[in-house]
Amino acid sequence: MLSVVYITPNFTANAVRFLEAFTGLYNVRLILISQEPVSLLPSWQQSRISISRQVNDVFDKWTIIKTLTDLQKITGPIHRIMGATEQLQVPIAEARLALNIPGMNTETAQNFRDKSRMKTLFDENGIPCAKHELVNDYNSAHAFVKHCPYPIVVKPVAGAGSQTTFKVNSVAELLTAFSSLGHQVADGIILEEFIQGEEFSLDTFSLNGKILGQSINQYMPTPLDVMSNAWMQWRVLLRKDSGSKAFEDIRKAGKKALDVLGMKTGMSHMEWFRRKDGSIAISEVAARPPGAQFTTLISRACDFDVIRAWVDLM
């Protein structure tokens, strides 16, 4: 029987869905590490969790390593560590390294998590992406605008989703963005060309570096437009023509990007643009299942349970 650790900060609706997929597996001893007490889960789900541990900070690698070390004295060897939260990918990888547990390594996790490092790898390998620069102060940001005019996109190196991403149209808005990001500026801020065009995702299942399946999903309107206009209702459309020649360029570039970043086995969520001139640009990639109900959309459109498929794959 496999001893599998699932790590989550809180028991959100998504976390409960992921746990449900795990508890449906007959050959897995499920171990749960969280910041919230397991008593918050439905009673039927609690009964299917072998061991649980509540910790103060699931994002601290030393907390994870110590907790897992103590657990192994009870469970024996741990075979897998998993988590669907973006900010957990690096500390989980570091725990794998410390305890010699198979899975995505630290270098690969950093490639996906550090968006500046990601885009540098893209540039070095001829993968199309937006013009970009990593800065640590306002003066450097102002210099970037001289060769990449407004509007630009401003976001932290280790962001997640669009919550801390800003479309900046002027000097005043640049100052506001820097003020909003606060202490994150010291860690590095990414400035990007604002791409005019349509925005999509490429969601991919990979096994040992081979693509098992993909879907292409279109944002309508783009996430930045929605974040900037509270009245907008966003939609995502799963394209029936995902496998057509019209998307051959992104499928090819997407596979190269995953190879360069080091994706072997897992699910990835890639955000990309189709410019008005027809060219493509990859924005960023996450080495985890997508959020924002994408898993529900893909499951219903393609007639299989995406979360269960990810759990089985891992």
PDB file of all heavy atoms in Angstrom, residues 209-243:
ATOM      1  N   GLY A 209       7.443  12.667 -19.192  1.00  0.00           N
ATOM      2  CA  GLY A 209       7.816  13.563 -20.281  1.00  0.00           C
ATOM      3  C   GLY A 209       6.970  13.430 -21.532  1.00  0.00           C
ATOM      4  O   GLY A 209       7.138  14.194 -22.481  1.00  0.00           O
ATOM      5  N   LYS A 210       6.042  12.483 -21.535  1.00  0.00           N
ATOM      6  CA  LYS A 210       5.160  12.286 -22.691  1.00  0.00           C
ATOM      7  C   LYS A 210       3.791  12.905 -22.408  1.00  0.00           C
ATOM      8  O   LYS A 210       3.234  12.725 -21.324  1.00  0.00           O
ATOM      9  CB  LYS A 210       4.996  10.797 -22.986  1.00  0.00           C
ATOM     10  CG  LYS A 210       4.078  10.486 -24.164  1.00  0.00           C
ATOM     11  CD  LYS A 210       3.913   8.990 -24.371  1.00  0.00           C
ATOM     12  CE  LYS A 210       2.961   8.688 -25.510  1.00  0.00           C
ATOM     13  NZ  LYS A 210       2.767   7.226 -25.710  1.00  0.00           N
ATOM     14  N   ILE A 211       3.265  13.640 -23.380  1.00  0.00           N
ATOM     15  CA  ILE A 211       1.950  14.262 -23.205  1.00  0.00           C
ATOM     16  C   ILE A 211       0.851  13.224 -23.421  1.00  0.00           C
ATOM     17  O   ILE A 211       0.772  12.587 -24.472  1.00  0.00           O
ATOM     18  CB  ILE A 211       1.780  15.450 -24.173  1.00  0.00           C
ATOM     19  CG1 ILE A 211       2.706  16.594 -23.742  1.00  0.00           C
ATOM     20  CG2 ILE A 211       0.329  15.931 -24.207  1.00  0.00           C
ATOM     21  CD1 ILE A 211       2.684  17.799 -24.652  1.00  0.00           C
ATOM     22  N   LEU A 212       0.004  13.066 -22.407  1.00  0.00           N
ATOM     23  CA  LEU A 212      -1.105  12.113 -22.493  1.00  0.00           C
ATOM     24  C   LEU A 212      -2.370  12.768 -23.032  1.00  0.00           C
ATOM     25  O   LEU A 212      -3.189  12.116 -23.670  1.00  0.00           O
ATOM     26  CB  LEU A 212      -1.405  11.544 -21.104  1.00  0.00           C
ATOM     27  CG  LEU A 212      -0.271  10.804 -20.391  1.00  0.00           C
ATOM     28  CD1 LEU A 212      -0.765  10.308 -19.034  1.00  0.00           C
ATOM     29  CD2 LEU A 212       0.228   9.640 -21.232  1.00  0.00           C
ATOM     30  N   GLY A 213      -2.538  14.058 -22.751  1.00  0.00           N
ATOM     31  CA  GLY A 213      -3.734  14.754 -23.208  1.00  0.00           C
ATOM     32  C   GLY A 213      -3.649  16.231 -22.899  1.00  0.00           C
ATOM     33  O   GLY A 213      -2.936  16.650 -21.980  1.00  0.00           O
ATOM     34  N   GLN A 214      -4.365  17.038 -23.694  1.00  0.00           N
ATOM     35  CA  GLN A 214      -4.348  18.487 -23.529  1.00  0.00           C
ATOM     36  C   GLN A 214      -5.722  19.070 -23.830  1.00  0.00           C
ATOM     37  O   GLN A 214      -6.510  18.475 -24.571  1.00  0.00           O
ATOM     38  CB  GLN A 214      -3.341  19.144 -24.488  1.00  0.00           C
ATOM     39  CG  GLN A 214      -1.889  18.866 -24.187  1.00  0.00           C
ATOM     40  CD  GLN A 214      -0.966  19.534 -25.183  1.00  0.00           C
ATOM     41  OE1 GLN A 214      -1.224  19.533 -26.389  1.00  0.00           O
ATOM     42  NE2 GLN A 214       0.122  20.117 -24.700  1.00  0.00           N
ATOM     43  N   SER A 215      -5.987  20.234 -23.270  1.00  0.00           N
ATOM     44  CA  SER A 215      -7.152  21.009 -23.697  1.00  0.00           C
ATOM     45  C   SER A 215      -6.725  22.465 -23.834  1.00  0.00           C
ATOM     46  O   SER A 215      -5.816  22.924 -23.133  1.00  0.00           O
ATOM     47  CB  SER A 215      -8.303  20.883 -22.696  1.00  0.00           C
ATOM     48  OG  SER A 215      -7.995  21.528 -21.471  1.00  0.00           O
ATOM     49  N   ILE A 216      -7.373  23.164 -24.750  1.00  0.00           N
ATOM     50  CA  ILE A 216      -7.122  24.598 -24.934  1.00  0.00           C
ATOM     51  C   ILE A 216      -8.385  25.341 -24.537  1.00  0.00           C
ATOM     52  O   ILE A 216      -9.482  25.035 -25.011  1.00  0.00           O
ATOM     53  CB  ILE A 216      -6.717  24.905 -26.387  1.00  0.00           C
ATOM     54  CG1 ILE A 216      -5.314  24.347 -26.652  1.00  0.00           C
ATOM     55  CG2 ILE A 216      -6.768  26.412 -26.659  1.00  0.00           C
ATOM     56  CD1 ILE A 216      -4.844  24.489 -28.077  1.00  0.00           C
ATOM     57  N   ASN A 217      -8.224  26.284 -23.632  1.00  0.00           N
ATOM     58  CA  ASN A 217      -9.357  27.003 -23.059  1.00  0.00           C
ATOM     59  C   ASN A 217      -9.149  28.502 -23.248  1.00  0.00           C
ATOM     60  O   ASN A 217      -8.059  29.024 -23.018  1.00  0.00           O
ATOM     61  CB  ASN A 217      -9.482  26.669 -21.576  1.00  0.00           C
ATOM     62  CG  ASN A 217      -9.475  25.174 -21.343  1.00  0.00           C
ATOM     63  OD1 ASN A 217     -10.421  24.479 -21.660  1.00  0.00           O
ATOM     64  ND2 ASN A 217      -8.359  24.654 -20.831  1.00  0.00           N
ATOM     65  N   GLN A 218     -10.197  29.195 -23.655  1.00  0.00           N
ATOM     66  CA  GLN A 218     -10.089  30.616 -23.990  1.00  0.00           C
ATOM     67  C   GLN A 218     -10.768  31.472 -22.923  1.00  0.00           C
ATOM     68  O   GLN A 218     -11.913  31.246 -22.555  1.00  0.00           O
ATOM     69  CB  GLN A 218     -10.732  30.886 -25.357  1.00  0.00           C
ATOM     70  CG  GLN A 218     -10.562  32.328 -25.821  1.00  0.00           C
ATOM     71  CD  GLN A 218     -11.011  32.519 -27.254  1.00  0.00           C
ATOM     72  OE1 GLN A 218     -11.484  31.583 -27.898  1.00  0.00           O
ATOM     73  NE2 GLN A 218     -10.853  33.723 -27.773  1.00  0.00           N
ATOM     74  N   TYR A 219     -10.024  32.476 -22.441  1.00  0.00           N
ATOM     75  CA  TYR A 219     -10.576  33.440 -21.479  1.00  0.00           C
ATOM     76  C   TYR A 219     -11.364  34.511 -22.232  1.00  0.00           C
ATOM     77  O   TYR A 219     -10.866  35.096 -23.196  1.00  0.00           O
ATOM     78  CB  TYR A 219      -9.455  34.147 -20.719  1.00  0.00           C
ATOM     79  CG  TYR A 219      -8.606  33.286 -19.837  1.00  0.00           C
ATOM     80  CD1 TYR A 219      -7.422  32.707 -20.321  1.00  0.00           C
ATOM     81  CD2 TYR A 219      -8.939  33.065 -18.511  1.00  0.00           C
ATOM     82  CE1 TYR A 219      -6.608  31.937 -19.507  1.00  0.00           C
ATOM     83  CE2 TYR A 219      -8.128  32.299 -17.684  1.00  0.00           C
ATOM     84  CZ  TYR A 219      -6.965  31.744 -18.191  1.00  0.00           C
ATOM     85  OH  TYR A 219      -6.161  30.983 -17.382  1.00  0.00           O
ATOM     86  N   MET A 220     -12.563  34.798 -21.761  1.00  0.00           N
ATOM     87  CA  MET A 220     -13.400  35.808 -22.425  1.00  0.00           C
ATOM     88  C   MET A 220     -14.134  36.628 -21.369  1.00  0.00           C
ATOM     89  O   MET A 220     -15.103  36.125 -20.791  1.00  0.00           O
ATOM     90  CB  MET A 220     -14.400  35.117 -23.359  1.00  0.00           C
ATOM     91  CG  MET A 220     -13.752  34.246 -24.424  1.00  0.00           C
ATOM     92  SD  MET A 220     -14.935  33.160 -25.266  1.00  0.00           S
ATOM     93  CE  MET A 220     -15.881  34.364 -26.179  1.00  0.00           C
ATOM     94  N   PRO A 221     -13.695  37.871 -21.061  1.00  0.00           N
ATOM     95  CA  PRO A 221     -12.491  38.550 -21.556  1.00  0.00           C
ATOM     96  C   PRO A 221     -11.245  38.050 -20.819  1.00  0.00           C
ATOM     97  O   PRO A 221     -11.326  37.057 -20.094  1.00  0.00           O
ATOM     98  CB  PRO A 221     -12.785  40.015 -21.227  1.00  0.00           C
ATOM     99  CG  PRO A 221     -13.635  39.942 -20.003  1.00  0.00           C
ATOM    100  CD  PRO A 221     -14.480  38.706 -20.158  1.00  0.00           C
ATOM    101  N   THR A 222     -10.121  38.758 -20.992  1.00  0.00           N
ATOM    102  CA  THR A 222      -8.884  38.328 -20.358  1.00  0.00           C
ATOM    103  C   THR A 222      -8.962  38.553 -18.852  1.00  0.00           C
ATOM    104  O   THR A 222      -9.686  39.434 -18.379  1.00  0.00           O
ATOM    105  CB  THR A 222      -7.677  39.092 -20.917  1.00  0.00           C
ATOM    106  OG1 THR A 222      -7.770  40.469 -20.516  1.00  0.00           O
ATOM    107  CG2 THR A 222      -7.618  39.008 -22.435  1.00  0.00           C
ATOM    108  N   PRO A 223      -8.223  37.769 -18.044  1.00  0.00           N
ATOM    109  CA  PRO A 223      -8.244  37.933 -16.590  1.00  0.00           C
ATOM    110  C   PRO A 223      -7.903  39.343 -16.114  1.00  0.00           C
ATOM    111  O   PRO A 223      -8.509  39.837 -15.164  1.00  0.00           O
ATOM    112  CB  PRO A 223      -7.208  36.914 -16.108  1.00  0.00           C
ATOM    113  CG  PRO A 223      -7.247  35.843 -17.138  1.00  0.00           C
ATOM    114  CD  PRO A 223      -7.454  36.568 -18.441  1.00  0.00           C
ATOM    115  N   LEU A 224      -6.945  40.003 -16.786  1.00  0.00           N
ATOM    116  CA  LEU A 224      -6.585  41.362 -16.361  1.00  0.00           C
ATOM    117  C   LEU A 224      -7.729  42.338 -16.580  1.00  0.00           C
ATOM    118  O   LEU A 224      -7.953  43.247 -15.777  1.00  0.00           O
ATOM    119  CB  LEU A 224      -5.334  41.842 -17.100  1.00  0.00           C
ATOM    120  CG  LEU A 224      -3.995  41.591 -16.404  1.00  0.00           C
ATOM    121  CD1 LEU A 224      -2.857  42.165 -17.225  1.00  0.00           C
ATOM    122  CD2 LEU A 224      -3.975  42.157 -14.997  1.00  0.00           C
ATOM    123  N   ASP A 225      -8.470  42.161 -17.659  1.00  0.00           N
ATOM    124  CA  ASP A 225      -9.645  43.009 -17.891  1.00  0.00           C
ATOM    125  C   ASP A 225     -10.671  42.812 -16.785  1.00  0.00           C
ATOM    126  O   ASP A 225     -11.269  43.761 -16.284  1.00  0.00           O
ATOM    127  CB  ASP A 225     -10.291  42.680 -19.245  1.00  0.00           C
ATOM    128  CG  ASP A 225      -9.495  43.234 -20.416  1.00  0.00           C
ATOM    129  OD1 ASP A 225      -8.749  44.206 -20.217  1.00  0.00           O
ATOM    130  OD2 ASP A 225      -9.617  42.680 -21.525  1.00  0.00           O
ATOM    131  N   VAL A 226     -10.863  41.564 -16.388  1.00  0.00           N
ATOM    132  CA  VAL A 226     -11.840  41.260 -15.340  1.00  0.00           C
ATOM    133  C   VAL A 226     -11.406  41.846 -14.005  1.00  0.00           C
ATOM    134  O   VAL A 226     -12.202  42.436 -13.267  1.00  0.00           O
ATOM    135  CB  VAL A 226     -12.040  39.731 -15.215  1.00  0.00           C
ATOM    136  CG1 VAL A 226     -12.965  39.405 -14.043  1.00  0.00           C
ATOM    137  CG2 VAL A 226     -12.614  39.169 -16.510  1.00  0.00           C
ATOM    138  N   MET A 227     -10.105  41.696 -13.677  1.00  0.00           N
ATOM    139  CA  MET A 227      -9.594  42.228 -12.415  1.00  0.00           C
ATOM    140  C   MET A 227      -9.688  43.744 -12.362  1.00  0.00           C
ATOM    141  O   MET A 227      -9.844  44.340 -11.298  1.00  0.00           O
ATOM    142  CB  MET A 227      -8.134  41.792 -12.213  1.00  0.00           C
ATOM    143  CG  MET A 227      -7.953  40.296 -12.025  1.00  0.00           C
ATOM    144  SD  MET A 227      -8.748  39.662 -10.536  1.00  0.00           S
ATOM    145  CE  MET A 227      -7.757  40.452  -9.269  1.00  0.00           C
ATOM    146  N   SER A 228      -9.617  44.384 -13.529  1.00  0.00           N
ATOM    147  CA  SER A 228      -9.649  45.846 -13.593  1.00  0.00           C
ATOM    148  C   SER A 228     -11.063  46.413 -13.647  1.00  0.00           C
ATOM    149  O   SER A 228     -11.260  47.615 -13.477  1.00  0.00           O
ATOM    150  CB  SER A 228      -8.860  46.328 -14.823  1.00  0.00           C
ATOM    151  OG  SER A 228      -7.540  45.851 -14.799  1.00  0.00           O
ATOM    152  N   ASN A 229     -12.042  45.551 -13.912  1.00  0.00           N
ATOM    153  CA  ASN A 229     -13.424  46.010 -14.066  1.00  0.00           C
ATOM    154  C   ASN A 229     -14.353  45.084 -13.283  1.00  0.00           C
ATOM    155  O   ASN A 229     -14.731  44.003 -13.758  1.00  0.00           O
ATOM    156  CB  ASN A 229     -13.824  46.008 -15.545  1.00  0.00           C
ATOM    157  CG  ASN A 229     -12.957  46.948 -16.374  1.00  0.00           C
ATOM    158  OD1 ASN A 229     -13.177  48.148 -16.409  1.00  0.00           O
ATOM    159  ND2 ASN A 229     -11.957  46.382 -17.041  1.00  0.00           N
ATOM    160  N   ALA A 230     -14.718  45.529 -12.082  1.00  0.00           N
ATOM    161  CA  ALA A 230     -15.482  44.672 -11.171  1.00  0.00           C
ATOM    162  C   ALA A 230     -16.834  44.242 -11.744  1.00  0.00           C
ATOM    163  O   ALA A 230     -17.391  43.215 -11.340  1.00  0.00           O
ATOM    164  CB  ALA A 230     -15.686  45.393  -9.844  1.00  0.00           C
ATOM    165  N   TRP A 231     -17.360  44.992 -12.688  1.00  0.00           N
ATOM    166  CA  TRP A 231     -18.681  44.683 -13.243  1.00  0.00           C
ATOM    167  C   TRP A 231     -18.639  43.551 -14.266  1.00  0.00           C
ATOM    168  O   TRP A 231     -19.690  43.000 -14.627  1.00  0.00           O
ATOM    169  CB  TRP A 231     -19.278  45.936 -13.899  1.00  0.00           C
ATOM    170  CG  TRP A 231     -18.416  46.512 -14.987  1.00  0.00           C
ATOM    171  CD1 TRP A 231     -17.456  47.478 -14.845  1.00  0.00           C
ATOM    172  CD2 TRP A 231     -18.402  46.164 -16.372  1.00  0.00           C
ATOM    173  NE1 TRP A 231     -16.850  47.754 -16.048  1.00  0.00           N
ATOM    174  CE2 TRP A 231     -17.420  46.961 -17.009  1.00  0.00           C
ATOM    175  CE3 TRP A 231     -19.133  45.263 -17.145  1.00  0.00           C
ATOM    176  CZ2 TRP A 231     -17.148  46.881 -18.363  1.00  0.00           C
ATOM    177  CZ3 TRP A 231     -18.859  45.168 -18.510  1.00  0.00           C
ATOM    178  CH2 TRP A 231     -17.876  45.980 -19.094  1.00  0.00           C
ATOM    179  N   MET A 232     -17.450  43.177 -14.725  1.00  0.00           N
ATOM    180  CA  MET A 232     -17.366  42.165 -15.777  1.00  0.00           C
ATOM    181  C   MET A 232     -17.624  40.758 -15.248  1.00  0.00           C
ATOM    182  O   MET A 232     -17.204  40.396 -14.157  1.00  0.00           O
ATOM    183  CB  MET A 232     -15.969  42.185 -16.421  1.00  0.00           C
ATOM    184  CG  MET A 232     -15.759  43.312 -17.399  1.00  0.00           C
ATOM    185  SD  MET A 232     -14.156  43.140 -18.214  1.00  0.00           S
ATOM    186  CE  MET A 232     -14.276  44.468 -19.412  1.00  0.00           C
ATOM    187  N   GLN A 233     -18.325  39.968 -16.015  1.00  0.00           N
ATOM    188  CA  GLN A 233     -18.518  38.542 -15.730  1.00  0.00           C
ATOM    189  C   GLN A 233     -17.622  37.755 -16.668  1.00  0.00           C
ATOM    190  O   GLN A 233     -17.734  37.879 -17.892  1.00  0.00           O
ATOM    191  CB  GLN A 233     -19.976  38.140 -15.943  1.00  0.00           C
ATOM    192  CG  GLN A 233     -20.234  36.648 -15.787  1.00  0.00           C
ATOM    193  CD  GLN A 233     -19.890  36.139 -14.403  1.00  0.00           C
ATOM    194  OE1 GLN A 233     -20.330  36.697 -13.410  1.00  0.00           O
ATOM    195  NE2 GLN A 233     -19.095  35.090 -14.329  1.00  0.00           N
ATOM    196  N   TRP A 234     -16.696  36.985 -16.101  1.00  0.00           N
ATOM    197  CA  TRP A 234     -15.749  36.265 -16.949  1.00  0.00           C
ATOM    198  C   TRP A 234     -16.318  34.921 -17.390  1.00  0.00           C
ATOM    199  O   TRP A 234     -17.167  34.329 -16.729  1.00  0.00           O
ATOM    200  CB  TRP A 234     -14.425  36.072 -16.225  1.00  0.00           C
ATOM    201  CG  TRP A 234     -14.483  35.198 -15.009  1.00  0.00           C
ATOM    202  CD1 TRP A 234     -14.930  35.539 -13.776  1.00  0.00           C
ATOM    203  CD2 TRP A 234     -14.093  33.826 -14.934  1.00  0.00           C
ATOM    204  NE1 TRP A 234     -14.835  34.467 -12.921  1.00  0.00           N
ATOM    205  CE2 TRP A 234     -14.326  33.400 -13.604  1.00  0.00           C
ATOM    206  CE3 TRP A 234     -13.569  32.918 -15.850  1.00  0.00           C
ATOM    207  CZ2 TRP A 234     -14.048  32.111 -13.174  1.00  0.00           C
ATOM    208  CZ3 TRP A 234     -13.292  31.628 -15.417  1.00  0.00           C
ATOM    209  CH2 TRP A 234     -13.537  31.241 -14.092  1.00  0.00           C
ATOM    210  N   ARG A 235     -15.829  34.457 -18.502  1.00  0.00           N
ATOM    211  CA  ARG A 235     -16.182  33.143 -19.045  1.00  0.00           C
ATOM    212  C   ARG A 235     -14.916  32.439 -19.500  1.00  0.00           C
ATOM    213  O   ARG A 235     -13.933  33.088 -19.828  1.00  0.00           O
ATOM    214  CB  ARG A 235     -17.119  33.288 -20.252  1.00  0.00           C
ATOM    215  CG  ARG A 235     -18.478  33.893 -19.944  1.00  0.00           C
ATOM    216  CD  ARG A 235     -19.230  34.155 -21.234  1.00  0.00           C
ATOM    217  NE  ARG A 235     -18.581  35.215 -22.007  1.00  0.00           N
ATOM    218  CZ  ARG A 235     -18.742  35.396 -23.321  1.00  0.00           C
ATOM    219  NH1 ARG A 235     -19.486  34.565 -24.018  1.00  0.00           N
ATOM    220  NH2 ARG A 235     -18.140  36.392 -23.937  1.00  0.00           N
ATOM    221  N   VAL A 236     -14.961  31.129 -19.505  1.00  0.00           N
ATOM    222  CA  VAL A 236     -13.894  30.337 -20.113  1.00  0.00           C
ATOM    223  C   VAL A 236     -14.549  29.335 -21.048  1.00  0.00           C
ATOM    224  O   VAL A 236     -15.497  28.650 -20.669  1.00  0.00           O
ATOM    225  CB  VAL A 236     -13.045  29.600 -19.062  1.00  0.00           C
ATOM    226  CG1 VAL A 236     -11.983  28.752 -19.753  1.00  0.00           C
ATOM    227  CG2 VAL A 236     -12.378  30.592 -18.124  1.00  0.00           C
ATOM    228  N   LEU A 237     -14.051  29.274 -22.258  1.00  0.00           N
ATOM    229  CA  LEU A 237     -14.606  28.393 -23.286  1.00  0.00           C
ATOM    230  C   LEU A 237     -13.574  27.316 -23.627  1.00  0.00           C
ATOM    231  O   LEU A 237     -12.446  27.633 -24.005  1.00  0.00           O
ATOM    232  CB  LEU A 237     -14.936  29.200 -24.540  1.00  0.00           C
ATOM    233  CG  LEU A 237     -15.393  28.417 -25.770  1.00  0.00           C
ATOM    234  CD1 LEU A 237     -16.780  27.846 -25.540  1.00  0.00           C
ATOM    235  CD2 LEU A 237     -15.387  29.313 -27.002  1.00  0.00           C
ATOM    236  N   LEU A 238     -13.946  26.046 -23.461  1.00  0.00           N
ATOM    237  CA  LEU A 238     -13.067  24.973 -23.880  1.00  0.00           C
ATOM    238  C   LEU A 238     -13.258  24.758 -25.377  1.00  0.00           C
ATOM    239  O   LEU A 238     -14.368  24.470 -25.822  1.00  0.00           O
ATOM    240  CB  LEU A 238     -13.372  23.690 -23.107  1.00  0.00           C
ATOM    241  CG  LEU A 238     -12.341  22.571 -23.268  1.00  0.00           C
ATOM    242  CD1 LEU A 238     -12.234  21.726 -22.009  1.00  0.00           C
ATOM    243  CD2 LEU A 238     -12.665  21.672 -24.449  1.00  0.00           C
ATOM    244  N   ARG A 239     -12.171  24.919 -26.124  1.00  0.00           N
ATOM    245  CA  ARG A 239     -12.257  24.902 -27.582  1.00  0.00           C
ATOM    246  C   ARG A 239     -12.377  23.473 -28.112  1.00  0.00           C
ATOM    247  O   ARG A 239     -11.545  22.612 -27.835  1.00  0.00           O
ATOM    248  CB  ARG A 239     -11.005  25.556 -28.169  1.00  0.00           C
ATOM    249  CG  ARG A 239     -10.805  27.014 -27.790  1.00  0.00           C
ATOM    250  CD  ARG A 239     -11.783  27.912 -28.502  1.00  0.00           C
ATOM    251  NE  ARG A 239     -11.635  27.825 -29.940  1.00  0.00           N
ATOM    252  CZ  ARG A 239     -11.275  28.851 -30.717  1.00  0.00           C
ATOM    253  NH1 ARG A 239     -11.044  30.035 -30.190  1.00  0.00           N
ATOM    254  NH2 ARG A 239     -11.178  28.711 -32.018  1.00  0.00           N
ATOM    255  N   LYS A 240     -13.409  23.240 -28.910  1.00  0.00           N
ATOM    256  CA  LYS A 240     -13.561  21.933 -29.554  1.00  0.00           C
ATOM    257  C   LYS A 240     -12.423  21.653 -30.531  1.00  0.00           C
ATOM    258  O   LYS A 240     -12.081  20.500 -30.788  1.00  0.00           O
ATOM    259  CB  LYS A 240     -14.889  21.874 -30.324  1.00  0.00           C
ATOM    260  CG  LYS A 240     -16.096  21.559 -29.458  1.00  0.00           C
ATOM    261  CD  LYS A 240     -17.314  21.339 -30.351  1.00  0.00           C
ATOM    262  CE  LYS A 240     -18.529  20.916 -29.549  1.00  0.00           C
ATOM    263  NZ  LYS A 240     -19.711  20.684 -30.416  1.00  0.00           N
ATOM    264  N   ASP A 241     -11.856  22.739 -31.088  1.00  0.00           N
ATOM    265  CA  ASP A 241     -10.817  22.578 -32.112  1.00  0.00           C
ATOM    266  C   ASP A 241      -9.412  22.574 -31.515  1.00  0.00           C
ATOM    267  O   ASP A 241      -8.440  22.920 -32.191  1.00  0.00           O
ATOM    268  CB  ASP A 241     -10.944  23.675 -33.172  1.00  0.00           C
ATOM    269  CG  ASP A 241     -10.925  25.083 -32.579  1.00  0.00           C
ATOM    270  OD1 ASP A 241     -11.020  25.211 -31.337  1.00  0.00           O
ATOM    271  OD2 ASP A 241     -10.828  26.056 -33.356  1.00  0.00           O
ATOM    272  N   SER A 242      -9.276  22.162 -30.245  1.00  0.00           N
ATOM    273  CA  SER A 242      -7.959  22.149 -29.582  1.00  0.00           C
ATOM    274  C   SER A 242      -6.922  21.360 -30.365  1.00  0.00           C
ATOM    275  O   SER A 242      -5.736  21.694 -30.342  1.00  0.00           O
ATOM    276  CB  SER A 242      -8.087  21.550 -28.175  1.00  0.00           C
ATOM    277  OG  SER A 242      -8.838  22.385 -27.324  1.00  0.00           O
ATOM    278  N   GLY A 243      -7.359  20.322 -31.044  1.00  0.00           N
ATOM    279  CA  GLY A 243      -6.419  19.471 -31.773  1.00  0.00           C
ATOM    280  C   GLY A 243      -6.227  19.848 -33.224  1.00  0.00           C
ATOM    281  O   GLY A 243      -5.528  19.149 -33.968  1.00  0.00           O
TER     282      GLY A 243
END
